[in-house]
Amino acid sequence: MKPINDGHVAKPGLAVVEVAAADDETAFAVQELLATPWAIAPADRTTHEPGEPGVRLRCYPDMRQAARLVNEEGIPGDIDAAGTGAEHPASKP
């Protein structure tokens, strides 16, 4: 994989996550889990290093930007940087 550059981690809340997994399906499933609470620059492919087991994937979560979620009633809400659900104004009486 290419080296991590300064821009990838230039500010608090930016991160680089490298996933090592047995197969592509597992690596992309982990990426999807990361994309649920945060904005993420996703990888579109995995890599395999000769002589090393499994595949690798690198993605770039931005924990400063919460992803939009929909609750059980179909009301959109946000998740804060800690990964907890924030109440949507429409859900308050």
Side-chain angles (χ1 to χ4, degrees):
M1 296 190 128
K2 294 180 181 178
I4 297 168
N5 70 45
D6 292 341
H8 293 141
V9 292
K11 298 178 182 178
L14 297 178
V16 177
V17 175
E18 291 185 352
V19 176
D23 56 27
D24 289 356
E25 183 177 302
T26 304
F28 286 119
V30 171
Q31 177 176 257
E32 186 64 30
L33 287 172
L34 292 170
T36 300
W38 302 299
I40 191 168
D44 58 355
R45 64 180 178 86
T46 61
T47 59
H48 173 74
E49 298 292 331
E52 292 189 18
V55 297
R56 297 191 185 277
L57 171 145
R58 184 183 287 173
C59 57
Y60 306 90
D62 183 347
M63 294 181 288
R64 302 169 303 167
Q65 298 181 37
R68 302 284 294 166
L69 289 186
V70 175
N71 68 13
E72 297 83 30
E73 292 84 33
I75 299 171
D78 290 323
I79 294 182
D80 60 23
T84 61
E87 288 187 17
H88 188 279
S91 67
K92 295 183 180 181

